[in-house]
Structures are given as C-alpha cells and as structure tokens.
Amino acid sequence: GESVGLHLPTLSVQEGDNSIINCAYSNSASDYFIWYKQESGKGPQFIIDIRSNMDKRQGQRVTVLLNKTVKHLSLQIAATQPGDSAVYFCAEKRGGNTDKLIFGTGTRLQVFP
Amino acid sequence: EPEVTQTPSHQVTQMGQEVILRCVPISNHLYFYWYRQILGQKVEFLVSFYNNEISEKSEIFDDQFSVERPDGSNFTLKIRSTKLEDSAMYFCASSEAGKGNQPQHFGDGTRLSIL
C-alpha cells in the first residue's frame, strides 16, 4: 500500500536525530492540511492536522509548521525512532464546499541505528 | 482505538468482471470516502458519501463506479466492468464531519489486480 514510485524523495536520518519533512502545496485557498504516515502494506495513518488560521501545531514528538506566504508545510519529528520509518504524505483540503483531500507525492523516511 | 476495516486485502479479477470492495467505517463517523493509489502514483480522491448519497466525486468516478451503504455498518465500492487500468490500491476512509475540517481516517486498503 505504499507509494513506491522511482522518484519518491528519501530522507535518511540517524536514530535519535530530529527529522524535517517538507511539502509544498499548490492552492492558496487550501484551508486544512493533514500529515499521514504510510507503512508498508498499510493505509495512510493520521499523524497531525492544522488549519489555515494557525502556523504551528504540536503533537506527541511531532510538530507541523504552516507557512501560507510561500505555501509550505513541514513535519518535524523529534528524536526519530526506527518505528518512524515510513512514507509520509501531506494532504490539503481546498477551501469551500469540498470534502476531498489532495495528496502530495510522499517522502520516504529511513531511520538508521 | 477504533479503525476502518477493509475486505478483502487482495482481489484478483478478470477484466470485464464486476468487483465489490467492502469497508466498515469507524462507527460514529458520518462521512465516508474512497480513494485509490495506482502503483507509483499519488493517492487520488474518488468519491465522498454522506447521508446516503454521494456528496462529491472526481472525474475518475464515472458510471462504471458506484457506492452504497447497504446497512448500518458497511460501505461498498462497486466497479461494474473492470478495466486493466483499474488495478490499484483502493482505500476507504471515514470522518466525523466532512466540510468541517475533521481528519479522515483510512483503512489498510484492498489491492485490486485486474488480469
């Protein structure tokens, strides 16, 4: 169930280091953003979300930053662990009368001991 | 923690045959979705469903596709006459609310292989 495209960007980090995964979104009208984690053979797992009226939101070991000026979203993972190895997707919901999420291409995070 | 469950995990079907993919959304959720992911490509929205009717659909969701909530727990996606290009992972998702910006929670998908 993971995105295994040849052009999937990969981030390799040492266990215990912090990870930063970036995402550029396309539509300035997008008002809601979600980060998902997808492990091999599984579906996208919700990590954290943020609304466009915020620029930062923190969860357990994760922080999402939203820069609307440059249409950029990032996911920071503190003290990265081997279990964090997965493909990470950002998804945006465009403002207005829509339900659908628009997914990015994904970033593969590899954590080395 | 409640989760979305999908069956089967893998479906192999001859081209031209009908296929039904099944999902049990999270029990207190009201909005239901189908997405698909062709190998090597992005996750793509197919359809959303609320109050027993389609709320929104993409251009992929043509008249070969249909969705149904046949009872109080199941949510199905039917493809009437499958094509080779329908081969993909199909994900079901659900959320408490739709346009109110609530997270969509996904199942682990059904891998559909069309021969």
Side-chain angles (χ1 to χ4, degrees):
Chain A
E2 67 185 57
S3 175
V4 293
L6 292 174
H7 302 292
L8 198 66
T10 299
L11 175 67
S12 298
V13 300
Q14 195 93 31
E15 181 179 356
D17 286 352
N18 297 334
S19 303
I20 301 176
I21 301 171
N22 296 302
C23 178
Y25 64 94
S26 56
N27 196 311
S28 56
S30 293
D31 62 1
Y32 180 59
F33 305 88
I34 305 178
W35 279 102
Y36 286 96
K37 172 187 181 183
Q38 189 175 28
E39 296 174 282
S40 181
K42 295 194 171 268
Q45 176 189 353
F46 170 79
I47 302 173
I48 192 167
D49 59 357
I50 189 167
R51 292 171 176 74
S52 59
N53 61 352
M54 304 170 71
D55 53 21
K56 180 178 179 178
R57 190 155 188 240
Q58 287 185 285
Q60 190 175 20
R61 271 200 317 119
V62 293
T63 301
V64 55
L65 299 178
L66 175 62
N67 185 331
K68 293 183 287 293
T69 303
V70 294
K71 296 201 287 285
H72 183 268
L73 194 68
S74 69
L75 176 71
Q76 300 177 2
I77 304 173
T80 315
Q81 301 168 2
D84 295 327
S85 294
V87 177
Y88 289 79
F89 294 96
C90 66
E92 64 183 290
K93 191 177 82 62
R94 305 222 167 136
N97 197 32
T98 180
D99 300 321
K100 73 178 182 183
L101 293 177
I102 299 166
F103 279 76
T105 51
T107 297
R108 185 184 304 280
L109 176 65
Q110 295 179 328
V111 182
F112 292 96
Chain B
E1 187 175 321
E3 57 182 28
V4 175
T5 57
Q6 291 185 243
T7 55
S9 56
H10 191 188
Q11 174 79 47
V12 181
T13 302
Q14 291 286 333
M15 186 173 61
Q17 296 297 304
E18 175 184 285
V19 66
I20 297 176
L21 309 182
R22 302 181 190 278
C23 170
V24 178
I26 295 173
S27 61
N28 65 332
H29 286 186
L30 301 177
Y31 287 77
F32 315 117
Y33 312 85
W34 285 100
Y35 290 77
R36 79 173 185 190
Q37 186 178 31
I38 295 171
L39 188 64
Q41 298 186 24
K42 297 179 185 182
V43 176
E44 303 173 285
F45 172 82
L46 292 178
V47 66
S48 60
F49 190 87
Y50 169 68
N51 201 26
N52 277 321
E53 60 183 28
I54 289 174
S55 176
E56 186 175 358
K57 60 182 181 179
S58 72
E59 30 322 321
I60 303 167
F61 194 89
D62 62 21
D63 57 8
Q64 291 300 307
F65 290 85
S66 62
V67 289
E68 190 179 28
R69 186 152 165 84
D71 54 44
S73 60
N74 290 284
F75 179 52
T76 61
L77 174 70
K78 181 194 290 187
I79 309 174
R80 271 182 259 287
S81 178
T82 49
K83 303 186 285 286
L84 293 176
E85 54 265 37
D86 293 328
S87 295
M89 283 293 294
Y90 287 81
F91 294 108
C92 174
S94 68
S95 64
E96 288 183 38
K99 301 172 179 65
N101 295 341
Q102 293 291 321
Q104 296 176 21
H105 295 271
F106 285 74
D108 284 339
T110 293
R111 182 178 298 280
L112 179 62
S113 300
I114 307 301
L115 305 179

PDB file of all heavy atoms in Angstrom, chain B residues 7 16 19 21 25 31 43 45 70 101 114-115:
ATOM      1  N   THR B   7     -12.164  -5.207   3.378  1.00  0.00           N
ATOM      2  CA  THR B   7     -12.031  -6.572   2.880  1.00  0.00           C
ATOM      3  C   THR B   7     -12.397  -6.622   1.404  1.00  0.00           C
ATOM      4  O   THR B   7     -13.243  -5.831   0.940  1.00  0.00           O
ATOM      5  CB  THR B   7     -12.955  -7.543   3.651  1.00  0.00           C
ATOM      6  OG1 THR B   7     -14.304  -7.038   3.586  1.00  0.00           O
ATOM      7  CG2 THR B   7     -12.520  -7.703   5.079  1.00  0.00           C
ATOM      8  N   GLY B  16     -13.365  -6.998 -17.221  1.00  0.00           N
ATOM      9  CA  GLY B  16     -14.753  -7.078 -17.619  1.00  0.00           C
ATOM     10  C   GLY B  16     -15.684  -7.581 -16.530  1.00  0.00           C
ATOM     11  O   GLY B  16     -16.912  -7.446 -16.649  1.00  0.00           O
ATOM     12  N   VAL B  19     -16.623  -6.092  -9.578  1.00  0.00           N
ATOM     13  CA  VAL B  19     -15.953  -6.317  -8.300  1.00  0.00           C
ATOM     14  C   VAL B  19     -16.578  -5.398  -7.251  1.00  0.00           C
ATOM     15  O   VAL B  19     -16.994  -4.272  -7.564  1.00  0.00           O
ATOM     16  CB  VAL B  19     -14.429  -6.084  -8.427  1.00  0.00           C
ATOM     17  CG1 VAL B  19     -14.102  -4.627  -8.722  1.00  0.00           C
ATOM     18  CG2 VAL B  19     -13.691  -6.546  -7.189  1.00  0.00           C
ATOM     19  N   LEU B  21     -15.759  -3.906  -3.447  1.00  0.00           N
ATOM     20  CA  LEU B  21     -14.813  -3.737  -2.344  1.00  0.00           C
ATOM     21  C   LEU B  21     -15.599  -3.265  -1.124  1.00  0.00           C
ATOM     22  O   LEU B  21     -16.471  -2.394  -1.234  1.00  0.00           O
ATOM     23  CB  LEU B  21     -13.742  -2.707  -2.718  1.00  0.00           C
ATOM     24  CG  LEU B  21     -13.033  -2.927  -4.061  1.00  0.00           C
ATOM     25  CD1 LEU B  21     -11.965  -1.867  -4.277  1.00  0.00           C
ATOM     26  CD2 LEU B  21     -12.473  -4.319  -4.177  1.00  0.00           C
ATOM     27  N   PRO B  25     -16.591   1.523   8.108  1.00  0.00           N
ATOM     28  CA  PRO B  25     -16.029   2.764   8.656  1.00  0.00           C
ATOM     29  C   PRO B  25     -16.065   2.757  10.185  1.00  0.00           C
ATOM     30  O   PRO B  25     -16.682   1.894  10.809  1.00  0.00           O
ATOM     31  CB  PRO B  25     -16.969   3.835   8.094  1.00  0.00           C
ATOM     32  CG  PRO B  25     -17.711   3.194   6.976  1.00  0.00           C
ATOM     33  CD  PRO B  25     -17.815   1.748   7.345  1.00  0.00           C
ATOM     34  N   TYR B  31     -19.191  10.574   7.536  1.00  0.00           N
ATOM     35  CA  TYR B  31     -18.741  10.823   6.174  1.00  0.00           C
ATOM     36  C   TYR B  31     -17.812   9.686   5.750  1.00  0.00           C
ATOM     37  O   TYR B  31     -16.945   9.274   6.520  1.00  0.00           O
ATOM     38  CB  TYR B  31     -17.989  12.156   6.076  1.00  0.00           C
ATOM     39  CG  TYR B  31     -18.893  13.360   6.183  1.00  0.00           C
ATOM     40  CD1 TYR B  31     -19.386  13.765   7.417  1.00  0.00           C
ATOM     41  CD2 TYR B  31     -19.271  14.063   5.045  1.00  0.00           C
ATOM     42  CE1 TYR B  31     -20.223  14.861   7.518  1.00  0.00           C
ATOM     43  CE2 TYR B  31     -20.104  15.160   5.132  1.00  0.00           C
ATOM     44  CZ  TYR B  31     -20.579  15.555   6.379  1.00  0.00           C
ATOM     45  OH  TYR B  31     -21.414  16.638   6.470  1.00  0.00           O
ATOM     46  N   VAL B  43      -2.006   9.227  -4.018  1.00  0.00           N
ATOM     47  CA  VAL B  43      -3.344   8.846  -3.581  1.00  0.00           C
ATOM     48  C   VAL B  43      -4.339   9.828  -4.196  1.00  0.00           C
ATOM     49  O   VAL B  43      -4.161  11.048  -4.102  1.00  0.00           O
ATOM     50  CB  VAL B  43      -3.434   8.889  -2.037  1.00  0.00           C
ATOM     51  CG1 VAL B  43      -4.848   8.583  -1.583  1.00  0.00           C
ATOM     52  CG2 VAL B  43      -2.435   7.913  -1.415  1.00  0.00           C
ATOM     53  N   PHE B  45      -8.453  11.028  -4.825  1.00  0.00           N
ATOM     54  CA  PHE B  45      -9.839  11.006  -4.354  1.00  0.00           C
ATOM     55  C   PHE B  45     -10.753  10.432  -5.432  1.00  0.00           C
ATOM     56  O   PHE B  45     -10.627  10.756  -6.618  1.00  0.00           O
ATOM     57  CB  PHE B  45     -10.251  12.436  -4.022  1.00  0.00           C
ATOM     58  CG  PHE B  45     -11.700  12.629  -3.711  1.00  0.00           C
ATOM     59  CD1 PHE B  45     -12.193  12.357  -2.451  1.00  0.00           C
ATOM     60  CD2 PHE B  45     -12.575  13.097  -4.679  1.00  0.00           C
ATOM     61  CE1 PHE B  45     -13.538  12.566  -2.156  1.00  0.00           C
ATOM     62  CE2 PHE B  45     -13.912  13.307  -4.401  1.00  0.00           C
ATOM     63  CZ  PHE B  45     -14.394  13.039  -3.132  1.00  0.00           C
ATOM     64  N   PRO B  70     -25.184  -0.406   2.325  1.00  0.00           N
ATOM     65  CA  PRO B  70     -26.314  -1.346   2.312  1.00  0.00           C
ATOM     66  C   PRO B  70     -26.941  -1.569   3.686  1.00  0.00           C
ATOM     67  O   PRO B  70     -28.089  -1.992   3.764  1.00  0.00           O
ATOM     68  CB  PRO B  70     -25.683  -2.636   1.781  1.00  0.00           C
ATOM     69  CG  PRO B  70     -24.234  -2.529   2.110  1.00  0.00           C
ATOM     70  CD  PRO B  70     -23.902  -1.069   2.030  1.00  0.00           C
ATOM     71  N   ASN B 101     -13.636  20.230   8.282  1.00  0.00           N
ATOM     72  CA  ASN B 101     -12.215  20.068   8.569  1.00  0.00           C
ATOM     73  C   ASN B 101     -11.936  19.136   9.730  1.00  0.00           C
ATOM     74  O   ASN B 101     -11.355  19.531  10.750  1.00  0.00           O
ATOM     75  CB  ASN B 101     -11.543  21.430   8.791  1.00  0.00           C
ATOM     76  CG  ASN B 101     -11.546  22.280   7.545  1.00  0.00           C
ATOM     77  OD1 ASN B 101     -11.721  21.775   6.438  1.00  0.00           O
ATOM     78  ND2 ASN B 101     -11.363  23.567   7.713  1.00  0.00           N
ATOM     79  N   ILE B 114      -6.323  -6.514 -11.848  1.00  0.00           N
ATOM     80  CA  ILE B 114      -7.166  -6.890 -12.983  1.00  0.00           C
ATOM     81  C   ILE B 114      -6.298  -7.611 -14.014  1.00  0.00           C
ATOM     82  O   ILE B 114      -5.273  -7.073 -14.446  1.00  0.00           O
ATOM     83  CB  ILE B 114      -7.833  -5.648 -13.613  1.00  0.00           C
ATOM     84  CG1 ILE B 114      -8.562  -4.820 -12.554  1.00  0.00           C
ATOM     85  CG2 ILE B 114      -8.783  -6.075 -14.736  1.00  0.00           C
ATOM     86  CD1 ILE B 114      -9.650  -5.549 -11.816  1.00  0.00           C
ATOM     87  N   LEU B 115      -6.744  -8.809 -14.388  1.00  0.00           N
ATOM     88  CA  LEU B 115      -5.960  -9.627 -15.329  1.00  0.00           C
ATOM     89  C   LEU B 115      -6.544  -9.563 -16.736  1.00  0.00           C
ATOM     90  O   LEU B 115      -7.754  -9.379 -16.902  1.00  0.00           O
ATOM     91  CB  LEU B 115      -5.917 -11.079 -14.843  1.00  0.00           C
ATOM     92  CG  LEU B 115      -5.397 -11.291 -13.408  1.00  0.00           C
ATOM     93  CD1 LEU B 115      -5.446 -12.757 -13.057  1.00  0.00           C
ATOM     94  CD2 LEU B 115      -3.988 -10.734 -13.268  1.00  0.00           C
TER      95      LEU B 115
END
